[in-house]
């Protein structure tokens, strides 16, 4: 079974969704026969490589959200992350453009290390307070994950894989994906947001047992919601261009 996942390393719900999906997958007897592919999605392409401010300031000033709303949102997502065993630290987080990190992830996919590098990038951004827009930070993360040092340097010192990142974003747009994380099972069934692990387990089992029809069928909190584009059905917590909900 193929599972394609669109996400951004600067998306807090994407890390939570990754954990919930992995928990579900680990519980299934056919987990070794599920092929997971990570795809790039950029929530804010306009963000500079290095934003001079905190995550709270970025969301309030750039996204136009009320400071109290931002604080409540960050507290909520921190609690949800803690429930999945992660320690988010928004006070230390360094807002940065994710495009270079996503190019590094494209290299990792070619080496069969997409999941490892994705994990390293998300943890660096949300738990460790590392600047994921900094090339030295990315170089260290890539090499620690097992990528060849020469390849990492080549990517970071060029625009390699830029087209691959843009192609992923274009494919998401063509599917009607406007928020992440977004999961596509067997190029047919869509799951929007960081849904509970139980839903992922149910969906994976359902698709494993029976695949048919055409177009994306959105699987929400109450099972299959109907046929159509990815923009319809029951969404889980996700991040979009205007923020995270």
């Amino acid at each position: 079974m193929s599972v394609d996942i669109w996400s951004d390393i600067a998306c807090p719900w994407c890390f939570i969704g990754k954990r919930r999906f992995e928990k579900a997958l680990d519980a299934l007897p056919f987990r070794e026969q599920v092929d997971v592919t990570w795809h790039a999605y950029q929530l804010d392409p306009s963000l500079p490589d290095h934003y001079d401010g905190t995550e709270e300031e970025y969301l309030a000033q750039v996204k136009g959200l009320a400071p109290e709303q931002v604080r409540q949102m960050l507290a909520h997502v921190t609690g949800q992350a803690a429930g999945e065993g992660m320690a988010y630290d928004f006070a230390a987080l360094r807002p940065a453009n994710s495009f270079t990190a996503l190019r590094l992830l494209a290299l990792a996919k070619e080496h069969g290390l997409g999941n490892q590098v994705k994990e390293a990038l998300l943890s660096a951004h949300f738990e460790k307070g590392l600047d994921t827009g900094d090339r030295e930070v990315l170089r260290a993360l890539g090499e620690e994950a097992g990528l060849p040092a020469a390849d990492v340097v080549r990517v970071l010192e060029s625009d390699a894989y830029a087209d691959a990142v843009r192609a992923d974003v274009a494919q998401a747009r063509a599917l009607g994906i406007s928020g992440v994380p977004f999961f596509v099972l067997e190029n047919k069934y869509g799951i929007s947001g960081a849904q509970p692990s139980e839903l992922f387990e149910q969906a994976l089992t359902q698709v494993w047992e029976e695949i048919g029809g055409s177009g994306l069928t959105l699987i929400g909190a109450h099972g299959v919601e109907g046929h159509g584009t990815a923009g319809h059905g029951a969404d889980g917590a996700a991040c979009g261009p205007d923020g995270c909900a």
Side-chain angles (χ1 to χ4, degrees), residues 21-31 197 201 204-205:
F21 172 81
E22 290 170 340
K23 179 180 178 181
L25 187 60
D26 285 345
L28 297 172
F30 54 85
R31 58 185 175 275
S197 293
E201 186 173 346
L204 288 163
T205 300

Side-chain angles (χ1 to χ4, degrees), residues 1-5 20-31 33-36 183-186 189 191 196-211 219:
M1 181 195 306
S2 67
V3 178
D4 294 273
I5 307 173
R20 292 175 177 174
F21 172 81
E22 290 170 340
K23 179 180 178 181
L25 187 60
D26 285 345
L28 297 172
F30 54 85
R31 58 185 175 275
Q33 294 169 272
V34 177
D35 183 19
V36 178
F183 305 76
V184 177
L185 283 57
E186 276 295 312
Y189 297 93
I191 302 176
S197 293
E198 293 78 9
L199 184 136
F200 284 121
E201 186 173 346
Q202 171 197 343
L204 288 163
T205 300
Q206 174 183 326
V207 177
W208 179 254
E209 292 175 348
E210 183 177 357
I211 300 170
I219 301 175

